[in-house]
Amino acid sequence: MQFKIALCQMLVSPIKENNISHARSLIRGAAEKGSKLVVLPEMWCCPYSMKTLRDHAEDIEAKSSPSISMLSEAAAYHKITIVGGSIPEKSGGKLFNTCCVLGPDGEIKAKHRKLHLFDMDLPGESFRESDTFAYGDGPTIVDTEVGKIGIGICHDIRFPELSILYRLRGAHLICFPGAFNMSTGELLWELMQRSRAVDNQLFVAACSPARDPDVNSDYMIWGHSSLVGPFGEIIATTGHEEDVVIGEIDYSILQTRRENLPLEKQKRGDIYQLIDHSSGK
Ligand SMILES: O=C(O)CCC(=O)C(=O)O
């Protein structure tokens, strides 16, 4: 299977309605260029600021989420698959960092709640996502019109076991909506995308918001959304400004790579193994 994927590295504003209509127009542009899969960034509907996230939270289960309604309409209108970045989701009195995957019929095919929350303490910079969000409780891999896709949100990329699990369950592609910042982005964002792709011989697509240098944000975004192939090759990428990165995915090269270098067969299951405790969502 061969198709175009678009990573919408959008500039996020403080006004939700504007973000929703802006994302809609980026999706339209990507679909008009022939993209069959469109990926949005982590927290595209509102600024990634712990001070205001709660005010922007949406109830996805009650079907009253303006962000997901827009994605559903867009997916159905253009007959594409959308990995809908993430939005703050409220559910049962808790807040989650949640990604919905929508099929070309506009239905939600999967919902991933960020599993690994980003708590960091560096000199002069600390960040505690777990003060605001609750933890997701399972991996998410979904069969779509454009292959079997595993989902991780940002910090989820740091934990190789999650990607290995997706590979074991047959993933062709892992999508990571993310929003790496200036302190870890430069050194690690691309490195980890390439590592997850190489470890598991699959495609990795990572989509960030654009950096807004003018905003007085407590979180400066690194950007650099990219599509990486199974040899760790960068197929398409960008800098930190708003951009729609379009790349070609050809799943037939997965088989070639896996035959050339049969890592799965070479693994020493007699010495080490990943234990899957999840229920198989
Ligand atoms: O793991 C990191 O360095 C950054 C993670 C992050 O920015 C996030 O999860 O939002």
Side-chain angles (χ1 to χ4, degrees):
M1 183 191 293
Q2 231 173 314
F3 64 92
K4 270 189 196 157
I5 176 174
L7 313 173
C8 297
Q9 181 164 299
M10 71 176 266
L11 193 59
V12 177
S13 84
I15 301 161
K16 186 188 276 188
E17 298 74 54
N18 294 355
N19 294 324
I20 292 178
S21 59
H22 187 41
R24 182 68 186 87
S25 75
L26 295 179
I27 295 169
R28 180 174 305 110
E32 284 169 357
K33 288 192 177 134
S35 309
K36 291 289 173 220
L37 172 61
V38 175
V39 185
L40 293 184
E42 182 179 26
M43 289 302 151
W44 58 270
C45 74
C46 60
Y48 190 17
S49 162
M50 295 303 143
K51 292 181 200 131
T52 55
L53 276 171
R54 207 168 280 280
D55 306 334
H56 293 290
E58 302 183 26
D59 188 339
I60 297 172
E61 280 149 5
K63 296 199 186 302
S64 63
S65 157
S67 300
I68 303 304
S69 301
M70 180 281 282
L71 296 182
S72 161
E73 175 277 317
Y77 182 85
H78 297 293
K79 302 200 175 5
I80 56 172
T81 300
I82 298 180
V83 172
S86 78
I87 65 165
E89 178 200 9
K90 56 180 171 195
S91 172
K94 292 182 182 164
L95 204 63
F96 296 94
N97 187 340
T98 302
C99 172
C100 290
V101 180
L102 297 107
D105 56 0
E107 294 296 317
I108 298 179
K109 291 181 86 89
K111 195 170 80 169
H112 179 77
R113 290 171 168 165
K114 189 170 183 174
L115 296 175
H116 305 90
L117 297 177
F118 179 45
D119 292 348
M120 174 185 84
D121 247 321
L122 287 179
E125 195 176 359
S126 70
F127 197 78
R128 283 195 58 82
E129 216 183 14
S130 65
D131 284 347
T132 305
F133 287 116
Y135 290 89
D137 65 1
T140 306
I141 175 159
V142 54
D143 256 319
T144 73
E145 313 280 314
V146 282
K148 206 155 185 171
I149 305 179
I151 305 291
I153 301 177
C154 204
H155 201 49
D156 285 339
I157 199 173
R158 278 199 185 243
F159 301 86
E161 292 86 347
L162 180 64
S163 298
I164 297 170
L165 195 71
Y166 290 152
R167 164 74 163 105
L168 290 174
R169 291 195 189 164
H172 302 110
L173 163 70
I174 306 178
C175 289
F176 290 103
F180 266 56
N181 57 70
M182 303 297 281
S183 34
T184 60
E186 182 166 15
L187 215 53
L188 300 177
W189 177 227
E190 183 184 300
L191 174 73
M192 287 193 281
Q193 294 164 36
R194 298 182 66 201
S195 307
R196 299 299 84 85
V198 169
D199 292 347
N200 299 296
Q201 299 182 299
L202 39 64
F203 289 90
V204 165
C207 184
S208 167
R211 187 180 311 160
D212 186 349
D214 300 328
V215 104
N216 256 344
S217 166
D218 51 3
Y219 197 85
M220 187 72 86
I221 300 287
W222 170 243
H224 297 259
S225 302
S226 316
L227 173 66
V228 182
F231 244 32
E233 69 277 27
I234 308 281
I235 299 169
T237 189
T238 189
H240 61 75
E241 284 164 3
E242 180 161 287
D243 196 5
V244 176
V245 179
I246 296 189
E248 284 278 349
I249 288 187
D250 177 357
Y251 287 144
S252 69
I253 75 165
L254 292 181
Q255 201 185 339
T256 312
R257 296 299 185 215
R258 291 172 187 183
E259 280 167 11
N260 293 346
L261 198 63
L263 298 182
E264 272 314 302
K265 286 199 196 118
Q266 295 167 356
K267 276 191 177 166
R268 293 294 306 272
D270 55 328
I271 299 176
Y272 52 81
Q273 275 189 41
L274 183 72
I275 302 168
D276 179 358
H277 292 296
S278 69
S279 55
K281 177 167 75 135

